[in-house]
Amino acid sequence: IEIVAALISGGKYLTSDELKKRDDFVNTYLEKCLNRELNQDSFEIWSTFCWWLPTLVDVRRCKPLLERFGNINELFDINRDTVAHQASRILMYRNILAGIGFRYPDMTELLTHIKFDYPHDQIREAIAKLFCTITQNECTPSLPNPETLMEREMNTDEGKGLGLPMKWVSSRLDKIIKEQFADIEAEHEKLKDLTPQQILKSRYFYLSSTIFYWIEEMTSGPNKIIIIPYVAKYILPFLMRLLLQKDVCKLAGLDITTLFLAIAYIPSRNDGINDVLNLICDPNCFNEAPSSYQLKLQIAFVQHYLSSQLLQLTDAQKEKISDFIISNIYNEQYVEVRDRAADVLS
């Protein structure tokens, strides 16, 4: 592997004939290693190779490298039973894309094959990481000319002065993301009378866990601001529903609470604050009879959100938060909720 890395990184010193010989060798070698000799021990070395090499050279100059690592469409076949191999190949390509950044190759074919409802957790997590990298690579604005840029700047936010967001999700990925949340909503309707063990084997859970991993990756990355448009309408309601399925999440090992509270710390533009507050300050946002744990979690979210957005909250928004906290000080059912609300009020 080290010799292959040296051949690729030293490409600028090779003649045209030598480059052709190198490409032929790399093509044969990668076909053999990736399809027949890849195991968990060699994966660690290949994984390092995949993230390190793109930071050193432009790997697009070695066509066989991108073609062999990028040939993962067949790995999304649900009927295959090579879980570790499939997950490893997906993660290796993800590392290459992360190193390439906005210079990534055309993802059209890959996006038509990618599946979010894979039965195996290891592959769902790998797919979520791959989709997170693709989302971040496509979030860089690309406008055709300065005139279009200035026109978009002037006509954004109704003249409030915020201008264009620095980054945003591309239209094709926006469609895919919204489709996944719509599918989860539809699949949730089919869960009536199912036990937690049965839910774990449902398409609803497969989709939900993949999106959970994707949100987790996005919130821990440098481009977390690009999921802001999805927070109030999609992400928070999605996480609230999972919080109501405590047994399912416990069996699956999903830490919904930590991720739910992490959303409160994402930097936000002030044009999206009202939507979040309208949702989270609703006393029945979880359900009509929330438990003490749900109410305390809701109060904690409001506290963190107030802390992170304090400098751009309007007086009306601060009053809305204050009214919500004060209403919980007089909660008639749970003394622990009154205590938590009192702490936040102080």
Side-chain angles (χ1 to χ4, degrees):
I1 297 176
E2 289 86 345
I3 294 174
V4 173
L7 287 172
I8 296 173
S9 60
K12 58 185 176 182
Y13 302 109
L14 302 179
T15 65
S16 298
D17 291 338
E18 290 170 337
L19 285 173
K20 187 177 185 306
K21 291 180 181 178
R22 180 204 66 178
D23 288 352
D24 290 340
F25 167 74
V26 169
N27 186 48
T28 304
Y29 181 77
L30 290 181
E31 194 279 331
K32 174 185 175 184
C33 289
L34 297 182
N35 294 331
R36 297 197 292 271
E37 297 182 0
L38 183 64
N39 54 47
Q40 200 58 37
D41 294 329
S42 62
F43 165 69
E44 297 298 332
I45 303 173
W46 278 113
S47 182
T48 303
F49 171 91
C50 288
W51 71 256
W52 172 77
L53 195 61
T55 65
L56 189 67
V57 296
D58 188 351
V59 293
R60 295 176 299 174
R61 296 183 180 274
C62 183
K63 188 177 179 180
L65 179 74
L66 274 183
E67 286 183 345
R68 286 297 176 186
F69 278 104
N71 185 25
I72 61 172
N73 294 339
E74 61 185 30
L75 301 179
F76 297 118
D77 183 2
I78 292 181
N79 296 319
R80 289 172 65 102
D81 194 26
T82 53
V83 177
H85 175 80
Q86 290 169 265
S88 297
R89 287 285 307 278
I90 292 171
L91 289 174
M92 286 157 61
Y93 189 48
R94 179 250 188 169
N95 286 347
I96 288 181
L97 291 179
I100 294 176
F102 65 88
R103 300 169 297 164
Y104 63 93
D106 183 23
M107 294 282 104
T108 303
E109 185 178 0
L110 173 62
L111 291 173
T112 60
H113 286 85
I114 196 168
K115 291 182 174 65
F116 293 84
D117 57 350
Y118 213 94
H120 300 289
D121 185 70
Q122 188 177 358
I123 297 180
R124 292 199 301 270
E125 189 169 1
I127 289 173
K129 291 180 178 180
L130 172 65
F131 190 66
C132 172
T133 300
I134 295 173
T135 305
Q136 295 187 63
N137 285 354
E138 289 202 11
C139 73
T140 304
S142 180
L143 300 175
N145 52 58
E147 290 75 18
T148 305
L149 171 62
M150 294 307 297
E151 183 181 354
R152 292 280 295 274
E153 282 283 356
M154 296 298 292
N155 297 323
T156 302
D157 299 320
E158 300 176 351
K160 295 179 181 178
L162 287 176
L164 286 172
M166 294 179 63
K167 297 180 178 181
W168 62 78
V169 177
S170 66
S171 58
R172 64 176 179 178
L173 293 185
D174 175 72
K175 180 181 178 183
I176 292 174
I177 292 168
K178 290 178 179 177
E179 284 176 351
Q180 303 316 308
F181 283 110
D183 286 348
I184 290 172
E185 186 75 28
E187 292 296 324
H188 181 260
E189 301 298 324
K190 304 175 184 178
L191 300 183
K192 187 177 181 180
D193 299 328
L194 293 185
T195 65
Q197 290 77 9
Q198 291 172 321
I199 293 176
L200 285 177
K201 297 180 180 179
S202 67
R203 184 169 183 265
Y204 163 79
F205 178 75
Y206 297 157
L207 288 169
S208 295
S209 61
T210 305
I211 293 300
F212 169 84
Y213 292 136
W214 173 73
I215 297 171
E216 195 172 44
E217 283 292 312
M218 291 299 299
T219 54
S220 62
N223 296 311
K224 63 183 72 175
I225 59 172
I226 64 179
I227 66 170
I228 285 295
Y230 305 100
V231 167
K233 189 174 180 181
Y234 297 100
I235 293 178
L236 286 180
F238 164 73
L239 294 176
M240 288 175 182
R241 182 185 293 124
L242 285 180
L243 283 165
L244 295 175
Q245 298 169 319
K246 186 177 179 181
D247 293 338
V248 174
C249 294
K250 187 174 182 180
L251 288 171
L254 301 181
D255 186 2
I256 309 297
T257 301
T258 301
L259 182 58
F260 180 77
L261 294 178
I263 300 295
Y265 286 108
I266 299 178
S268 177
R269 290 159 61 93
N270 59 25
D271 55 355
I273 291 178
N274 267 335
D275 292 335
V276 174
L277 289 182
N278 288 337
L279 174 67
I280 205 64
C281 290
D282 181 357
N284 299 320
C285 70
F286 282 98
N287 51 44
E288 293 183 358
S291 66
S292 63
Y293 176 78
Q294 291 163 359
L295 286 172
K296 288 191 296 180
L297 187 60
Q298 192 176 350
I299 292 170
F301 185 97
V302 170
Q303 179 185 18
H304 299 326
Y305 198 71
L306 171 65
S307 175
S308 62
Q309 309 297 337
L310 180 61
L311 296 180
Q312 58 178 344
L313 290 175
T314 65
D315 290 341
Q317 291 166 344
K318 292 176 184 176
E319 185 176 354
K320 188 178 188 70
I321 291 175
S322 177
D323 290 344
F324 171 73
I325 297 300
I326 291 173
S327 68
N328 280 283
I329 287 181
Y330 297 99
N331 185 283
E332 297 179 354
Q333 289 183 286
Y334 308 111
V335 63
E336 59 270 26
V337 171
R338 298 197 294 271
D339 287 344
R340 186 71 182 92
D343 289 339
V344 176
L345 182 64
S346 67

